[in-house]
Amino acid sequence: MQSTPLETSIFIGGEPRAARSGALYDLHNPARPTELVGRAALAGKDDVDDAVKAANAAFPAWAALSFGERADLLRKVAAAIAADEEDVERRSEIFTREHGKIRRETMMELSRLGDRFMQVSAYAERLAQDEQMGPAAAGPPFDTIITRKPRGVAALIVPWNWPLSILGAKLPQALLAGNTVVVKPAQNAAMAPSLTLQIIAEILPPGVVNIITGSARDIGDTLVSHPLVSTVNFTGSVAVGQHVMRIASHRLTPVTLELGGNDAALVLEDVDLHPETFMKMYMGAFASSGQICMAMKRLYVHESRYDEVVQGMLGACSKAVVGDGLLPETTMGPVNNAGQLKVVTDMIAEARAKGADVIESGQIPDEALYQGGGYFQRPTLVLDADQDLSVVRQEQFGPVLPIMKFRTDDEAVAMANDNEFGLCSSVWTPDAERAVALARRLEAGYTYLNNHGPMSQDSRAPFGGVKMSGIGRNLGFEGVLGFMEPHTITGPGGFLFGN
Ligand code: NAP
Ligand code: MG
């Protein structure tokens, strides 16, 4: 399994290069933490400054292109990401080895990134139209144009869990709007993102996409507070998001924050339960070993259907094959890092200690690997969980799911909303009217019906959260507008549009 460790660079002003200091850091395989997968450039503050300046220098010419011209380049990017099948396989394998997630998922992230470039390119025509308002019959006597401008240099900060899909929710949007960017992937998933971003950057004029890898502890504040950075689009944890917002406030730099979630799923008494329903629920909670912001994290079931749902979920969990994500039979890889594993195992231990019924399930074909220091945790259910357990109150971000009972819709809505997060949610019922009525009462930025999670997300629509889950939206047309500033131009009635 050991191959020559790969080294990835940073990319600034159209050129790949080492960090000025020459420093690199090691990335290990979460399935076998002693295995070195490769080394990524460890950028310093001076590299960040170079990257922002390169982006700033490239901005005027990039912003001067028409939306149609930029959309053409986005389509070229989409083609280039997928052009070399062998290289796609290679990046997918590196991604699995540095991250832990299964190959099917790393392939899916790679194709999703390209799909999103294509999808976003289609907004060009709509963006090219300024909004126009003539004098209203009984309203203001003005002719007004509302035009939209790119903000400038956008800092795009990405977490480790779904780095390429998440890039697809902000990078093509920032670019189509006319911004130039500095991208900072997370330390724990830097190589596959950086190799893929390099392909993107090479298609575009030098300086339009710049890539920085390294430790945000050293360079995060330099990036966020840089005087030439005009907007920050951050995806990650609540604590870091709050910090980013504080730092950005010094220059009133606008921030979009996609933070954690603790998504509730409400399963109503009339739900249709089939094996596919349980597979959807299982995937909604356990895909990517549960490390998805928009994963199902609390399952509330009407008391009359509770036993059936528990049996169905136990059945689905028992089919999981937990192990090395490189093996085709594996359906659940390790958790990405030791810290995240500890969060999850601590929650499970607390639930057990407080007397909850905790069931770990799933198959382990390679017991030696599972016990060998990798960050493995089998899919775990906490049955009839007390609402005060941390596995219910906090985001698990790992393969554990609490299941609770409710009696009435009002009770279900109250329990779902009784949480500081408000990212996504789901309602499971064949009754469309009832589903939408309940969805409207949920405190969330997104509600899925009869499904949950990224496999069922409509990327034409805005995505983001309320409450502690963040500020602003990515994806959809709104996701592009978030990278723009309106500029209003007004004259007297008749001056612009005639009488
Ligand atoms: P994290 O620790 O907050 O890190 C996220 C990113 O921010 C990383 O690239 C990190 O770089 C960087 N960062 C850290 N400190 C920074 C600073 N001072 N200034 C600028 N950037 C800084 O989150 P994570 O552990 O990678 O990801 C897990 C969290 O992300 C979970 O809470 C999850 O719910 C959330 N998430 C949310 C969404 C969403 O769309 N709502 C999607 C995915 C994940 P380093 O790696 O170098 O520290
Ligand atoms: Mg972190």
Side-chain angles (χ1 to χ4, degrees):
M1 200 64 74
Q2 284 280 12
S3 50
T4 326
L6 169 85
E7 285 186 5
T8 59
S9 55
I10 56 178
F11 193 96
I12 296 177
E15 301 288 339
R17 57 166 242 213
R20 277 185 188 235
S21 67
L24 293 150
Y25 70 94
D26 295 347
L27 279 125
H28 292 97
N29 183 343
R32 294 178 192 77
T34 54
E35 178 190 312
L36 179 69
V37 179
R39 297 190 176 92
L42 184 71
K45 295 183 173 65
D46 42 3
D47 299 305
V48 172
D49 189 51
D50 292 346
V52 175
K53 284 180 174 150
N56 188 57
F59 174 67
W62 181 247
L65 295 180
S66 68
F67 289 102
E69 287 167 323
R70 287 194 295 266
D72 284 342
L73 285 163
L74 295 197
R75 284 186 284 269
K76 273 197 189 156
V77 163
I81 300 173
D84 181 343
E85 277 176 43
E86 237 172 81
D87 189 57
V88 172
E89 292 285 342
R90 183 181 76 102
R91 279 179 278 134
S92 158
E93 186 189 319
I94 294 166
F95 194 1
T96 289
R97 291 178 65 217
E98 71 176 318
H99 186 288
K101 64 169 73 186
I102 59 175
R103 279 298 297 281
R104 201 178 320 135
E105 206 180 291
T106 53
M107 287 299 278
M108 202 254 280
E109 279 213 51
L110 283 161
S111 65
R112 191 172 264 222
L113 178 60
D115 293 347
R116 288 186 169 173
F117 269 83
M118 286 304 290
Q119 198 174 28
V120 170
S121 72
Y123 293 132
E125 216 173 305
R126 191 167 157 198
L127 287 164
Q129 307 297 320
D130 288 336
E131 201 181 325
Q132 298 189 351
M133 297 187 286
F142 301 123
D143 275 0
T144 288
I145 297 171
I146 303 164
T147 187
R148 290 182 194 276
K149 295 173 164 175
R151 294 184 189 270
V153 176
L156 307 184
I157 302 173
V158 186
W160 49 262
N161 66 318
W162 268 55
L164 293 177
S165 306
I166 289 168
L167 269 172
K170 54 180 80 179
L171 177 58
Q173 294 78 359
L175 294 173
L176 183 65
N179 304 273
T180 55
V181 306
V182 176
V183 185
K184 159 73 177 77
Q187 238 177 116
N188 293 341
M191 289 191 297
S194 134
L195 291 169
T196 305
L197 279 163
Q198 207 150 307
I199 296 171
I200 297 172
E202 273 164 0
I203 304 278
L204 302 174
V208 170
V209 171
N210 305 278
I211 310 156
I212 287 290
T213 55
S215 168
R217 210 175 320 133
D218 305 330
I219 57 171
D221 290 5
T222 308
L223 177 60
V224 171
S225 65
H226 199 292
L228 295 176
V229 165
S230 312
T231 188
V232 178
N233 189 303
F234 170 87
T235 304
S237 61
V238 174
V240 177
Q242 289 171 319
H243 174 80
V244 162
M245 191 168 175
R246 268 194 300 273
I247 300 285
S249 75
H250 297 310
R251 305 188 58 82
L252 295 180
T253 307
V255 292
T256 296
L257 303 175
E258 296 275 11
L259 309 179
N262 196 359
D263 293 11
L266 306 187
V267 179
L268 309 190
E269 75 275 14
D270 58 357
V271 65
D272 279 332
L273 293 175
H274 305 290
E276 314 88 80
T277 324
F278 293 122
M279 206 22 86
K280 284 179 186 168
M281 287 181 184
Y282 169 84
M283 288 301 288
F286 292 104
S288 214
S289 309
Q291 303 167 111
I292 299 184
C293 54
M294 60 181 103
M296 178 196 293
K297 291 174 182 143
R298 298 177 287 149
L299 178 52
Y300 293 101
V301 185
H302 188 268
E303 58 182 359
S304 66
R305 309 303 295 278
Y306 178 83
D307 291 341
E308 270 171 279
V309 170
V310 167
Q311 284 313 311
M313 288 302 280
L314 282 171
C317 288
S318 70
K319 293 193 194 94
V321 179
V322 185
D324 184 346
L326 286 179
L327 300 174
E329 61 271 26
T330 303
T331 63
M332 181 183 281
V335 169
N336 171 263
N337 59 76
Q340 195 57 50
L341 181 67
K342 186 170 179 334
V343 168
V344 174
T345 51
D346 282 356
M347 283 180 175
I348 294 171
E350 183 215 29
R352 277 215 175 89
K354 294 195 172 155
D357 189 3
V358 177
I359 303 183
E360 296 189 39
S361 181
Q363 300 155 37
I364 301 168
D366 185 346
E367 189 67 37
L369 177 70
Y370 192 83
Q371 303 297 347
Y375 310 132
F376 290 106
Q377 171 62 44
R378 294 192 288 169
T380 302
L381 299 176
V382 180
L383 303 184
D384 217 353
D386 191 286
Q387 186 82 354
D388 288 328
L389 288 174
S390 39
V391 75
V392 180
R393 296 234 66 83
Q394 293 163 26
E395 180 181 43
Q396 310 108 15
F397 224 60
V400 56
L401 177 71
I403 312 186
M404 285 75 61
K405 286 179 199 159
F406 67 83
R407 281 184 302 266
T408 64
D409 287 5
D410 286 351
E411 193 182 49
V413 169
M415 291 203 282
N417 289 342
D418 175 25
N419 200 268
E420 63 173 352
F421 290 107
L423 193 55
C424 307
S425 54
S426 62
V427 180
W428 300 69
T429 169
D431 182 338
E433 211 174 307
R434 195 171 163 210
V436 174
L438 266 193
R440 289 183 198 280
R441 297 173 62 193
L442 295 174
E443 294 167 358
Y446 202 114
T447 301
Y448 307 93
L449 305 180
N450 298 309
N451 218 328
H452 203 127
M455 314 304 162
S456 47
Q457 185 189 9
D458 186 344
S459 57
R460 296 171 303 178
F463 178 81
V466 300
K467 302 199 281 188
M468 296 303 274
S469 290
I471 297 176
R473 294 293 181 268
N474 285 320
L475 283 176
F477 192 65
E478 284 81 352
V480 184
L481 295 185
F483 283 103
M484 306 186 90
E485 293 279 14
H487 180 170
T488 303
I489 303 166
T490 293
F495 182 70
L496 294 174
F497 311 133
N499 285 306

